[in-house]
Amino acid sequence: MGDTTPGTAAADLVVLGGTVLTLDRGGTRASALAASGGRITAIGDDRAIAGLAGPGTTVVDLAGRAVIPGFVESHNHPAFFGMTLAAPVDAGSPPNDSIGDVVERVRQAVREFGPGEWIRGFRYDDTLLADDRHPTRADLDPVSPRNPVLLTHVTGHFCVVNSAALRAVGIDARTPDPPGGVIARDERGEPTGLLIETAAFLVNSAMPAQGPDHLAEALLLADAEYLRHGVTSVHDTGIGLIGGAGELAAYRRLTRAGRLRTRVHGYLFHTLVPGLDEGEPEPPQAGEFPLTGVKIVADGSIQGRTGCLAEGYACDPGEHGMMLLEPGELARRIAALDAAGWQVAVHGNGDAAIDAIIDGYARLGAPAGTGRRHRIEHCQTVREDQLDRMAAHDVTASFFIKHVYYWGDRHRDVFLGPRRARRISPLASARSRGIHFGLHSDTPVTPVPPLEGIWCAVTRRTSGGELLGPEQAVDVDAALRGYTVDAAYLAGEENDKGSLEVGKLADLAVLSADPTAVDPDRIRSLTVDATVVGGRLAWQRADAPVTTEGAR
């Protein structure tokens, strides 16, 4: 072995002394690699590659560890994630056990803010609170009479606001429900403070604009967290969803300044730019920030009972969830965007919504004529017959695999029942049909670590320790590919990233051990010890350094 480019000079980076999982088509393994100019120049054995080191070479000593392609996160929300990291209120569970705990955190935050200043919190989950309900303005008002408060649900599909926030955005008893959303009301018709789906999006867009500086800091916080977990590329599937046009401005500013180290592939939220749903403007042909896709939300969340199901919810058989767009309108928007040259990524959790999405793609031709690799995001309850149609029309998927661990028990016992729950994220069925799919964490909905997602895909174990649909598990190689080269395929980037091959980007993650050589239950506990982007050491663990030299 010793794959090199002709006339290779002293390398910028040399990696030696471990296992190199290339994840190329043949599953090649090696012990060393070299990179120059940001790309891989050689893969081979230690002796051959060591000879490529020179005085200025950064040498990574694996010391028996493994190196894999940098993880490609195929569905994330970096600005949203960064905002949660910096938020004054952590409303999640843990650390909160009850609504009272969340309210106390709001009370503490109010002390630090001036009257009239907005206070934001994130990650509350009504199904994990002892009260088993959403907070309301009645809970928040006593501790925040003069500050608008906005608490965003862990799924992002709901939010709760206090009376000051309702006044600030102009919502009262006379305000009609927006299309695709609900303003929850009490028995007198007054808003309770709970806003559902597009009503939640409405309050986000009505908040005081968050400038590019604030959003840039949020993006940098997320960037640092991605690197800690070996993520070198992220698909931002919804630019503008939380921060409006300021998100795109922040990305462009950071890209020009060279401050973002992770590679971001952008999908605009479909309401961000006027005319976007009509297929205008066309995607930029070139530029400093990759922006070729548009994200549409077709339905809601299964755990919020707004995901649109063909069969009713197990806990409420008369409830089927909701479509945020009527199927005909969804199909019209898909066709307009496709005709204008955009790749389309449609959020679909419930199988009724997935039917509508596939119908929209099917109208483009079979397979979906342009080769733009249109996507279904989450694809949580997709049925076998729908997978057949996806394969026939060349529709790709990004599966939210961590649903199995974080919500699997509740899907089985509350929302879907055992039969449907065991089939959430049916990776084995998709793989058997040759459907290209990526895996994702949807951060900040669940934590970043891709190794946890790989463990979920391989073991199908829930947070309660039960197996959920083990027949839908895949092997470690397939799971790794779902977070690397197959995820890159979804954005048309598989020739540039996702596997370790000569000529491809030198984006690497150094793992504490080879995930294909350990017990599957141990995969989740492996660590990322270093991350390399473009041949430069971007991060390494302080307690397990891979080199004594810093990134040059």
Side-chain angles (χ1 to χ4, degrees), residues 498-524:
S499 61
L500 303 180
E501 300 179 65
V502 169
K504 284 194 172 186
L505 291 167
D507 295 351
L508 323 170
V510 176
L511 307 184
S512 56
D514 177 355
T516 68
V518 301
D519 186 290
D521 279 323
R522 281 193 55 212
I523 293 173
R524 189 186 186 201

Side-chain angles (χ1 to χ4, degrees), residues 38-90:
R39 293 186 178 265
I40 297 169
T41 54
I43 298 172
D45 59 33
D46 285 358
R47 182 175 179 179
I49 300 301
L52 300 176
T57 301
T58 297
V59 178
V60 170
D61 179 11
L62 293 176
R65 288 173 284 208
V67 66
I68 65 170
F71 293 119
V72 178
E73 235 300 345
S74 61
H75 184 115
N76 246 232
H77 303 284
F80 185 11
F81 178 32
M83 290 168 71
T84 67
L85 294 172
V89 176
D90 180 357

